[in-house]
Amino acid sequence: MEKIQQRQSSGGAVRVAALLSLMVLFACKPEAPVGPEDKKIYTPVSTLRGEAPFPVGTAVQSGRIDQSSYANLINKEFSSITAEYEMKQDVIHMGPGSYEWGSSDAIVDFGVKNSIRVHGHALLWHSSAPAWFDTYSGDNAAFEQMMKTYIQTVVTRYKGKVASWDVVNEAFEDGSGAYRNTIYYQKMGPDYIAKCFQWAHEADPDALLFYNDYGAEYDNSKRKAIVEMIEDLKARGIPIHGFGFQMHINYNWPSLSELTKALDALKATGLKIHFSELDVRMNPANDLTSFTEARALAQEERYREIVTLYKTLPAEQQFGITLWGIKDNESWLLNFWGNPEWPLLFDSDFRYKIAHRGMVEGL
Ligand code: 9MR
């Protein structure tokens, strides 16, 4: 009994001493952080657009740029915008000769009003072919005429406001580099790409015209097909000014040497190069349920590496780098892959991730 009392009273003394020292600690260090500090976010000292020698862009949606939180962040950080989906044919082209301009106008107006470059995306993409194409009854010549009218109507509407266009998106198959068997290929034949560039150029001779695709980063056959197509267009005097690497990459793939090889191959065409849809998957193997500090550091390094690679291009070939969205929780990757993901520079509360620091430091 006595032993128990002694233990209790010495335990009590230890607790009182510990409490006192804690009080002293807090009294001396009132600024000490409460709770663990989140090292995955940081306070920026500079902005992307402030640091970059070339335009840095983001994909936008009309329903978001209406909100001041987005508008303010875009104006602060970015000098270029691309419509994430609202300047595609399935949103604009309602039927032969019928157009819906509400969302695309809102995005272009936002760019013009804020002196932010607008990159047009994308005039032809098989994945955004309007559903009514399936029941279109005109012959191939009529379809081709309709595509010419569509391209020239859109490009003319935004002449002087949209600086550049992805004229054709994703025209080659994965693995083989064969022409993708799209409705455009079927109805207009293999020369449809050249025709689309020519039509767009007629409508706005000042617009820079891009071919945009994924896979050139790592797929040798597709990359070879793209380079050959570009060289063919150039040799025939068809106006093509740029190539867009979409750059949907992972934190650990493709390797820097693979990406360097890819960039060098397209650099050799002399065209302007756009990293047009950059995001970095952090959970491709689905081994994370929450974003760890170690993975955040890997992301910071990856963004730094990508920007450093981009800067190996001569200045006249640097069209810019566009992020495919702003906040992690709104990335297309979440729905597409179904894994938890954190691919972008801002978290769901618009807080700056250290990935932003990596990108800024690489610039
Ligand atoms: O991120 C875009 C998503 O919000 C759209 O629903 C989708 C269809 O319009 O397009 C996504 O963006 C794609 C881009 O236009 C072309 N490269 C692949 C992108 C991801 O699918």
Side-chain angles (χ1 to χ4, degrees):
M1 182 68 174
E2 202 186 45
K3 273 190 184 156
I4 291 171
Q5 274 173 343
Q6 267 179 0
R7 252 192 250 130
Q8 278 176 339
S9 84
S10 73
V14 168
R15 276 197 295 276
V16 169
L19 198 63
L20 276 173
S21 54
L22 262 179
M23 285 165 70
V24 169
L25 194 71
F26 278 111
C28 297
K29 290 191 153 191
E31 79 282 11
V34 178
E37 195 188 335
D38 187 348
K39 297 207 172 64
K40 303 189 292 293
I41 58 169
Y42 87 120
T43 304
V45 290
S46 44
T47 64
L48 297 169
R49 69 180 295 169
E51 290 299 313
F54 45 76
V56 180
T58 180
V60 295
Q61 301 188 4
S62 65
R64 294 184 183 150
I65 54 177
D66 279 350
Q67 301 165 33
S68 59
S69 46
Y70 280 93
N72 293 342
L73 183 69
I74 293 168
N75 275 306
K76 183 171 172 196
E77 290 288 337
F78 298 103
S79 47
S80 180
I81 51 172
T82 304
E84 186 165 358
Y85 69 93
E86 289 156 302
M87 291 174 79
K88 294 170 186 169
Q89 205 171 167
D90 56 347
V91 178
I92 293 178
H93 206 183
M94 297 294 104
S98 167
Y99 305 90
E100 169 56 55
W101 301 111
S103 307
S104 54
D105 279 1
I107 289 172
V108 174
D109 289 350
F110 177 87
V112 170
K113 189 178 93 199
N114 293 293
S115 305
I116 291 176
R117 182 179 75 183
V118 183
H119 176 67
H121 172 81
L123 295 169
L124 252 65
W125 181 30
H126 63 282
S127 286
S128 62
W132 58 266
F133 277 8
D134 293 345
T135 51
Y136 177 73
S137 57
D139 62 12
N140 288 355
F143 183 87
E144 181 169 320
Q145 183 57 43
M146 185 170 71
M147 286 306 98
K148 178 179 180 186
T149 304
Y150 173 74
I151 287 175
Q152 296 200 326
T153 302
V154 176
V155 174
T156 301
R157 182 176 186 86
Y158 296 125
K159 189 172 181 325
K161 296 180 174 176
V162 168
S164 48
W165 285 98
D166 289 332
V167 178
V168 177
N169 192 38
E170 302 178 8
F172 296 97
E173 297 285 0
D174 299 339
S176 68
Y179 280 108
R180 195 186 286 273
N181 191 21
T182 65
I183 188 166
Y184 310 111
Y185 180 81
Q186 288 163 11
K187 292 193 181 287
M188 297 191 277
D191 215 29
Y192 82 93
I193 300 177
K195 289 176 180 170
C196 292
F197 276 83
Q198 194 66 55
W199 296 331
H201 184 68
E202 285 167 14
D204 184 358
D206 294 328
L208 295 174
L209 304 181
F210 283 71
Y211 174 73
N212 194 56
D213 212 335
Y214 70 89
E217 300 90 342
Y218 51 84
D219 179 333
N220 287 322
S221 305
K222 198 190 260 197
R223 181 164 60 235
K224 187 164 170 286
I226 290 170
V227 170
E228 283 173 7
M229 181 268 292
I230 290 171
E231 293 301 347
D232 175 57
L233 295 188
K234 280 168 50 191
R236 292 162 57 198
I238 305 291
I240 179 168
H241 311 108
F243 172 69
F245 281 98
Q246 292 185 4
M247 279 283 171
H248 297 295
I249 58 173
N250 297 353
Y251 75 100
N252 54 0
W253 171 91
S255 66
L256 181 59
S257 62
E258 187 72 30
L259 292 173
T260 305
K261 186 173 83 175
L263 185 63
D264 286 348
L266 270 301
K267 176 167 85 174
T269 66
L271 261 50
K272 292 184 187 299
I273 303 292
H274 188 194
F275 284 180
S276 57
E277 304 178 17
L278 176 62
D279 47 29
V280 181
R281 283 175 76 198
M282 300 312 297
N283 197 21
N286 204 14
D287 58 340
L288 296 186
T289 51
S290 65
F291 195 38
T292 61
E293 193 182 319
R295 208 58 69 85
L297 286 165
Q299 189 175 45
E300 176 181 9
E301 193 43 44
R302 186 63 155 163
Y303 271 102
R304 190 196 324 272
E305 178 177 279
I306 294 301
V307 171
T308 305
L309 172 66
Y310 189 77
K311 287 182 71 178
T312 63
L313 288 168
E316 65 276 13
Q317 284 182 273
Q318 295 175 348
F319 181 73
I321 299 181
T322 297
L323 279 300
W324 209 238
I326 293 177
K327 289 161 62 170
D328 279 346
N329 61 315
E330 292 171 344
S331 166
W332 70 285
L333 291 164
L334 294 173
N335 284 336
F336 192 81
W337 293 104
N339 297 349
E341 258 307 339
W342 307 272
L344 296 167
L345 303 185
F346 299 89
D347 76 5
S348 54
D349 295 319
F350 286 110
R351 291 186 304 177
Y352 283 72
K353 294 166 60 190
I354 56 174
H356 177 278
R357 181 171 65 197
M359 188 152 175
V360 163
E361 288 177 2
L363 285 167

